[in-house]
Amino acid sequence: MPYKKLEEYNMQVTNEVKDRYKTIIEELGEDTQREGLLKTPERAAKAMQFLTQGYDMDPAEILKGAMFAEDYDDMVIVKDIELYSLCEHHILPFFGKAHIAYIPNGHIVGLSKLPRIVDVFSRRLQVQERLTHDILECINDTLKPKGVAVVIEAS
Protein backbone atom coordinates (compact mmCIF):
# COMPACT_ATOMS: atom_id res chain seq x y z
CA MET A 1 0.00 0.00 0.00
CA PRO A 2 1.45 3.42 -0.92
CA TYR A 3 2.25 5.99 1.73
CA LYS A 4 -0.72 8.20 2.49
CA LYS A 5 -0.25 11.33 4.58
CA LEU A 6 -3.31 12.31 6.56
CA GLU A 7 -3.82 16.02 6.98
CA GLU A 8 -6.85 17.95 8.07
CA TYR A 9 -7.07 21.58 7.07
CA ASN A 10 -9.95 23.97 6.68
CA MET A 11 -10.05 24.06 2.89
CA GLN A 12 -11.79 27.43 2.76
CA VAL A 13 -9.00 28.96 4.85
CA THR A 14 -6.38 27.05 2.86
CA ASN A 15 -7.69 28.41 -0.44
CA GLU A 16 -7.96 31.99 0.80
CA VAL A 17 -4.49 32.01 2.36
CA LYS A 18 -3.04 30.19 -0.67
CA ASP A 19 -4.29 32.99 -2.94
CA ARG A 20 -2.67 35.58 -0.68
CA TYR A 21 0.65 33.72 -0.66
CA LYS A 22 0.53 33.47 -4.45
CA THR A 23 0.05 37.24 -4.66
CA ILE A 24 2.90 37.89 -2.22
CA ILE A 25 5.27 35.62 -4.14
CA GLU A 26 4.34 37.32 -7.42
CA GLU A 27 4.76 40.80 -5.90
CA LEU A 28 8.24 39.79 -4.75
CA GLY A 29 9.09 39.23 -8.42
CA GLU A 30 8.81 35.44 -8.69
CA ASP A 31 7.00 33.39 -11.31
CA THR A 32 4.40 31.30 -9.47
CA GLN A 33 4.02 29.18 -12.62
CA ARG A 34 7.62 27.99 -12.30
CA GLU A 35 7.71 24.25 -11.53
CA GLY A 36 9.27 24.64 -8.09
CA LEU A 37 6.67 27.20 -7.02
CA LEU A 38 3.47 25.66 -8.41
CA LYS A 39 2.37 24.19 -5.08
CA THR A 40 4.26 26.56 -2.78
CA PRO A 41 1.29 28.85 -2.00
CA GLU A 42 -0.82 25.88 -0.89
CA ARG A 43 2.02 24.35 1.11
CA ALA A 44 2.66 27.72 2.80
CA ALA A 45 -1.05 28.10 3.62
CA LYS A 46 -1.13 24.63 5.21
CA ALA A 47 2.13 25.29 7.06
CA MET A 48 0.75 28.50 8.53
CA GLN A 49 -2.39 26.69 9.69
CA PHE A 50 -0.21 24.03 11.32
CA LEU A 51 2.03 26.61 12.99
CA THR A 52 -0.98 28.49 14.41
CA GLN A 53 -3.22 25.55 15.33
CA GLY A 54 -3.09 26.56 18.99
CA TYR A 55 -5.94 29.01 18.42
CA ASP A 56 -8.28 26.02 17.97
CA MET A 57 -7.24 24.28 21.20
CA ASP A 58 -8.21 24.85 24.82
CA PRO A 59 -5.18 24.27 27.09
CA ALA A 60 -7.30 24.34 30.26
CA GLU A 61 -9.36 21.43 28.93
CA ILE A 62 -6.14 19.50 28.30
CA LEU A 63 -5.16 19.97 31.94
CA LYS A 64 -8.65 19.19 33.26
CA GLY A 65 -8.62 15.94 31.30
CA ALA A 66 -5.70 14.66 33.38
CA MET A 67 -6.26 16.25 36.81
CA PHE A 68 -6.24 13.94 39.79
CA ALA A 69 -7.05 14.62 43.43
CA GLU A 70 -3.87 13.88 45.34
CA ASP A 71 -2.55 14.79 48.76
CA TYR A 72 0.94 15.62 47.53
CA ASP A 73 2.69 18.89 48.21
CA ASP A 74 6.26 18.49 46.99
CA MET A 75 7.29 20.57 44.01
CA VAL A 76 6.65 19.03 40.59
CA ILE A 77 9.15 20.06 37.91
CA VAL A 78 9.20 19.38 34.18
CA LYS A 79 12.32 20.75 32.49
CA ASP A 80 13.57 21.10 28.93
CA ILE A 81 10.18 21.17 27.18
CA GLU A 82 10.94 21.97 23.55
CA LEU A 83 8.97 24.85 22.07
CA TYR A 84 8.66 26.31 18.60
CA SER A 85 6.66 29.47 17.95
CA LEU A 86 6.27 32.41 15.60
CA CYS A 87 7.10 35.94 16.69
CA GLU A 88 4.05 38.10 16.16
CA HIS A 89 6.13 41.09 15.05
CA HIS A 90 7.76 39.55 11.98
CA ILE A 91 6.16 36.09 11.77
CA LEU A 92 9.62 34.58 12.11
CA PRO A 93 10.34 31.50 14.22
CA PHE A 94 11.72 31.41 17.70
CA PHE A 95 12.48 28.25 19.60
CA GLY A 96 13.83 27.08 22.89
CA LYS A 97 12.94 25.27 26.06
CA ALA A 98 10.38 25.81 28.78
CA HIS A 99 10.74 24.75 32.40
CA ILE A 100 7.63 24.45 34.58
CA ALA A 101 7.39 23.93 38.33
CA TYR A 102 4.35 23.89 40.55
CA ILE A 103 3.47 22.96 44.12
CA PRO A 104 0.20 20.99 44.15
CA ASN A 105 -2.70 22.06 46.31
CA GLY A 106 -4.94 18.99 46.30
CA HIS A 107 -4.59 18.21 42.59
CA ILE A 108 -1.83 17.00 40.31
CA VAL A 109 -1.82 16.70 36.55
CA GLY A 110 -0.36 14.07 34.25
CA LEU A 111 3.17 15.22 33.46
CA SER A 112 2.70 14.80 29.70
CA LYS A 113 0.03 17.51 29.78
CA LEU A 114 2.48 20.27 30.68
CA PRO A 115 4.39 19.98 27.37
CA ARG A 116 1.05 19.85 25.58
CA ILE A 117 -0.07 23.20 26.97
CA VAL A 118 3.33 24.69 26.09
CA ASP A 119 2.71 23.49 22.53
CA VAL A 120 -0.82 24.92 22.42
CA PHE A 121 0.31 28.39 23.45
CA SER A 122 3.41 28.15 21.23
CA ARG A 123 1.23 27.44 18.19
CA ARG A 124 -0.07 31.00 18.22
CA LEU A 125 1.58 34.22 17.12
CA GLN A 126 3.51 35.13 20.25
CA VAL A 127 6.07 37.12 22.12
CA GLN A 128 8.17 35.22 24.62
CA GLU A 129 6.91 37.24 27.58
CA ARG A 130 3.22 36.57 26.86
CA LEU A 131 3.93 32.91 26.13
CA THR A 132 5.47 32.57 29.60
CA HIS A 133 2.54 34.39 31.20
CA ASP A 134 -0.14 32.42 29.30
CA ILE A 135 1.33 29.07 30.37
CA LEU A 136 1.65 30.21 33.99
CA GLU A 137 -1.89 31.60 34.17
CA CYS A 138 -3.40 28.48 32.61
CA ILE A 139 -1.74 26.25 35.20
CA ASN A 140 -2.57 28.66 38.03
CA ASP A 141 -6.24 29.08 37.04
CA THR A 142 -6.84 25.39 36.31
CA LEU A 143 -4.85 23.53 38.98
CA LYS A 144 -4.93 26.28 41.61
CA PRO A 145 -1.54 25.20 42.98
CA LYS A 146 0.18 26.69 46.00
CA GLY A 147 2.68 28.17 43.55
CA VAL A 148 3.77 27.93 39.94
CA ALA A 149 6.81 29.09 38.00
CA VAL A 150 7.50 29.08 34.28
CA VAL A 151 10.86 29.92 32.71
CA ILE A 152 11.45 30.05 28.97
CA GLU A 153 14.86 30.14 27.30
CA ALA A 154 14.41 30.91 23.62
CA SER A 155 16.17 32.40 20.62
Side-chain angles (χ1 to χ4, degrees), residues 10-28 30 32-33 37-49:
N10 179 324
M11 288 313 294
Q12 179 181 351
V13 172
T14 299
N15 288 328
E16 290 173 9
V17 175
K18 173 182 75 173
D19 292 342
R20 291 183 179 104
Y21 271 113
K22 183 176 180 186
T23 299
I24 290 168
I25 293 167
E26 289 170 346
E27 288 179 356
L28 292 173
E30 261 295 357
T32 56
Q33 296 306 306
L37 291 176
L38 284 174
K39 294 185 179 181
T40 298
E42 181 176 353
R43 286 192 293 262
K46 288 178 177 178
M48 189 56 74
Q49 287 178 79

Side-chain angles (χ1 to χ4, degrees), residues 133-147:
H133 182 262
D134 287 348
I135 294 165
L136 185 139
E137 287 301 313
C138 180
I139 295 167
N140 207 34
D141 293 347
T142 307
L143 288 179
K144 308 217 181 307
K146 292 178 182 173

Side-chain angles (χ1 to χ4, degrees), residues 7-108:
E7 296 178 340
E8 291 185 31
Y9 295 99
N10 179 324
M11 288 313 294
Q12 179 181 351
V13 172
T14 299
N15 288 328
E16 290 173 9
V17 175
K18 173 182 75 173
D19 292 342
R20 291 183 179 104
Y21 271 113
K22 183 176 180 186
T23 299
I24 290 168
I25 293 167
E26 289 170 346
E27 288 179 356
L28 292 173
E30 261 295 357
D31 175 10
T32 56
Q33 296 306 306
R34 186 165 58 81
E35 182 181 16
L37 291 176
L38 284 174
K39 294 185 179 181
T40 298
E42 181 176 353
R43 286 192 293 262
K46 288 178 177 178
M48 189 56 74
Q49 287 178 79
F50 173 77
L51 294 170
T52 60
Q53 66 187 338
Y55 292 113
D56 297 327
M57 299 177 196
D58 184 347
E61 287 304 313
I62 291 170
L63 288 180
K64 289 175 188 174
M67 274 180 64
F68 307 100
E70 189 68 44
D71 187 27
Y72 181 83
D73 60 2
D74 288 340
M75 185 179 294
V76 175
I77 302 173
V78 179
K79 299 187 305 184
D80 298 326
I81 302 167
E82 290 186 4
L83 69 88
Y84 305 89
S85 192
L86 290 175
C87 168
E88 68 181 33
H89 298 125
H90 299 95
I91 310 183
L92 291 173
F94 68 91
F95 52 92
K97 294 184 184 285
H99 315 287
I100 300 173
Y102 75 96
I103 300 172
N105 188 19
H107 287 91
I108 59 170

